[in-house]
Amino acid sequence: EAQVTQNPRYLITVTGKKLTVTCSQNMNHEYMSWYRQDPGLGLRQIYYSMNVEVTDKGDVPEGYKVSRKEKRNFPLILESPSPNQTSLYFCASSFLPLSSSGGTDTQYFGPGTRLTVL
Amino acid sequence: GENVEQHPSTLSVQEGDSAVIKCTYSDSASNYFPWYKQELGKRPQLIIDIRSNVGEKKDQRIAVTLNKTAKHFSLHITETQPEDSAVYFCAAVNPNYGGSQGNLIFGKGTKLSVKP
């Protein structure tokens, strides 16, 4: 079954304690991306990756890091989390380029990770 | 960079009526416009998309139109049903923003309520 998985699904942590949210896809997609979703602000892109070892900043990259050492995995790293990073995080994957999407079965979002930073 | 505005923020319709959600974008270089549906507590799902070389695309009860000159695109849902109730997001991809093809800019979403 084609899917994007994220772990953990829920996390409560404290300011400054490094954490990693994992994302994995089994569809051999080149493109992977991280978004955060906040009430009234919609979905904002944090980082994205076009392929292994190729990453780029999205709209709101401050305070986050990513790596793409393998095609299937794209972890999101918060080196020193702060309360303003409390949010719902989604990972997504797709074939590239996005503008060549052939239909609704070509982009997948993970189930989301709800992060609370106290 | 690209900016995507979405209206209205909330929309309430009677079952069977049509619903229209509109988005505008700022950079004429944007070339791909997907629409996502997000039900409460669930992940966004791509429901329809359109590329800049196409003016309209239809899939059963949903359709998307694109006006490149005016830089706006719209989602049309006909014969709405209660299960259409969700938050809908438009987005745009601008190949020049960030120097790549991967930067997806979302609108802030429209909460659609379909009343039985």
Side-chain angles (χ1 to χ4, degrees):
Chain A
E1 179 192 352
Q3 60 180 350
V4 178
T5 57
Q6 290 179 229
N7 282 293
R9 295 289 314 281
Y10 303 90
L11 179 61
I12 301 174
T13 188
V14 295
T15 298
K17 186 176 181 181
K18 181 179 178 180
L19 66 92
T20 299
V21 184
T22 64
C23 173
S24 185
Q25 50 94 3
N26 63 358
M27 296 160 282
N28 204 34
H29 285 163
E30 301 97 353
Y31 175 85
M32 298 185 75
S33 180
W34 276 103
Y35 302 90
R36 61 177 290 174
Q37 184 172 29
D38 303 288
L41 297 178
L43 286 151
R44 293 179 293 168
Q45 193 173 47
I46 303 171
Y47 269 95
Y48 58 94
S49 170
M50 310 275 271
N51 213 324
V52 174
E53 302 292 1
V54 181
T55 64
D56 206 350
K57 296 177 180 178
D59 227 12
V60 288
E62 295 78 19
Y64 304 95
K65 284 175 57 177
V66 293
S67 69
R68 188 91 181 271
K69 294 184 171 58
E70 305 167 282
K71 200 170 187 180
R72 63 182 292 122
N73 296 323
F74 189 44
L76 179 69
I77 304 156
L78 285 73
E79 294 269 4
S80 183
S82 62
N84 64 11
Q85 292 178 298
T86 292
S87 186
L88 178 60
Y89 291 86
F90 287 101
C91 179
S93 75
S94 172
F95 287 112
L96 273 177
L98 291 178
S99 56
S100 294
S101 169
T104 57
D105 60 346
T106 57
Q107 289 188 27
Y108 295 83
F109 278 79
T113 295
R114 188 165 292 281
L115 172 66
T116 302
V117 184
L118 302 174
Chain B
E2 177 64 276
N3 183 47
V4 177
E5 300 279 344
Q6 183 171 348
H7 298 280
S9 56
T10 59
L11 179 59
S12 182
V13 299
Q14 285 296 132
E15 182 177 359
D17 288 350
S18 295
V20 180
I21 302 169
K22 298 180 180 179
C23 289
T24 60
Y25 58 100
S26 59
D27 193 326
S28 56
S30 290
N31 62 1
Y32 174 63
F33 307 93
W35 285 89
Y36 299 85
K37 176 183 180 182
Q38 187 178 28
E39 296 174 355
L40 189 63
K42 295 190 177 180
R43 71 192 80 186
Q45 283 191 299
L46 177 64
I47 56 171
I48 195 167
D49 55 11
I50 192 167
R51 294 193 284 276
S52 58
N53 59 349
V54 176
E56 183 174 359
K57 184 175 178 180
K58 194 172 182 180
D59 183 1
Q60 298 181 339
R61 294 187 299 107
I62 59 173
V64 57
T65 58
L66 172 65
N67 183 326
K68 286 194 296 182
T69 303
K71 290 187 282 188
H72 67 69
F73 56 111
S74 300
L75 178 71
H76 304 253
I77 306 173
T78 59
E79 301 171 25
T80 53
Q81 301 166 5
E83 49 266 39
D84 294 329
S85 296
V87 178
Y88 291 81
F89 293 96
C90 64
V93 172
N94 186 329
N96 297 327
Y97 184 51
S100 71
Q101 303 171 53
N103 201 333
L104 195 62
I105 306 298
F106 283 83
K108 289 185 169 45
T110 296
K111 184 177 181 181
L112 174 64
S113 299
V114 180
K115 298 180 179 178

